Amino acid sequence: MTAVEQSVLRHRSSTQVAVSLAEQIAARLACAIAFDLVHAGQRLLEQDICAILGVSRAPVREALRILERDRLVEFQARRGALVTAPTAKEVRNVFDVRIALYGILLREEMNRDPKRLLAVLNAHMPAVERSVTESADDYATATFLLNSSIAAVAGNETLADLLQSVSLQTFRYVRLGLAHHPGNIPRSLESWHALRTAVAAGEVALVVRIAEARIERVRDAALAALEDSDTSD
């Protein structure tokens, strides 16, 4: 089980008595999609998933519907469930939503309990810093886990759930952009340090601006990667 999958399941179990088998399957498949182990346009056959995971069809079918809700798969007539293909429009739309939700969450947490937000940043920053010298995937994973922990401390559970879902949708685009522009990673780390400093200083507006600017850079890198991919095809 990957760290991303564990994070997704921990978040879901915080609002439920227990995570269902379908949620567990959905988390595993979502990670496979996020890490491009299952490619865009690839069919997800229920019988294959059942055989690999040793489960019945009912929870697999429910898991695929969860992934459809999270816009990671789509259902097509006579073809079943397919992994969605990244498009520039989808990237813009999902990052617009992420920017809006993240800004709301940060404002609420800075007004409610900035020390708790600072504690989350302090706990995760060493792992984020280490990942800079490893790989784009490691950095994307470390920052996803940090963002998940920030969402988890939100007092607004509805907001936290929405942001976690959107973060999972954007994770593969984050990987795409960082792999295409690895030079952005040190700048992103600087942004996280600046965010932590602003949180410690209680600068609410600055915290939001720093976070929004970082997400916008990630979005733009993903769009550039998609554009270059389309040009080379």
Side-chain angles (χ1 to χ4, degrees), residues 41-216:
Q42 186 170 335
R43 294 177 66 191
L44 296 178
L45 300 175
E46 291 181 11
Q47 60 268 31
D48 290 349
I49 298 170
C50 292
I52 292 171
L53 300 182
V55 296
S56 63
R57 278 200 164 187
V60 170
R61 192 171 294 118
E62 184 179 349
L64 292 175
R65 290 300 180 186
I66 292 171
L67 295 180
E68 182 187 30
R69 178 199 67 196
D70 289 338
R71 303 181 69 84
L72 294 175
V73 306
E74 60 182 348
F75 284 86
Q76 294 185 4
R78 297 184 296 278
R79 298 195 68 193
L82 282 75
V83 177
T84 55
T87 65
K89 180 180 179 181
E90 172 65 18
V91 170
R92 291 189 182 94
N93 287 346
V94 73
F95 273 97
D96 282 349
V97 173
R98 182 176 177 185
I99 289 169
L101 293 177
Y102 207 70
I104 294 170
L105 183 144
L106 288 176
R107 287 187 186 92
E108 287 189 359
E109 291 313 300
M110 286 296 294
N111 290 320
R112 187 175 71 96
D113 192 356
K115 290 183 178 179
R116 190 172 183 183
L117 181 58
L118 182 61
V120 171
L121 289 164
N122 288 336
H124 280 266
M125 283 305 297
V128 173
E129 291 165 348
R130 287 193 301 271
S131 69
V132 171
T133 60
E134 295 169 349
S135 70
D137 274 4
D138 289 321
Y139 185 78
T141 298
T143 54
F144 175 86
L145 296 176
L146 171 51
N147 281 313
S148 293
S149 293
I150 289 174
V153 301
N156 186 330
E157 291 183 356
T158 300
L159 175 60
D161 288 344
L162 290 171
L163 185 57
Q164 182 72 0
S165 175
V166 171
S167 294
L168 187 58
Q169 292 175 51
T170 58
F171 182 60
R172 59 175 171 166
Y173 304 140
V174 173
R175 287 185 59 251
L176 178 67
L178 290 175
H180 191 69
H181 295 286
N184 287 350
I185 294 176
R187 186 179 181 187
S188 175
L189 178 62
E190 290 176 5
S191 175
W192 279 112
H193 282 304
L195 181 72
R196 179 168 61 177
T197 299
V199 170
E203 299 285 348
V204 180
L206 181 59
V207 166
V208 174
R209 285 201 303 273
I210 291 170
E212 289 178 344
R214 185 187 64 254
I215 297 172
E216 288 170 354

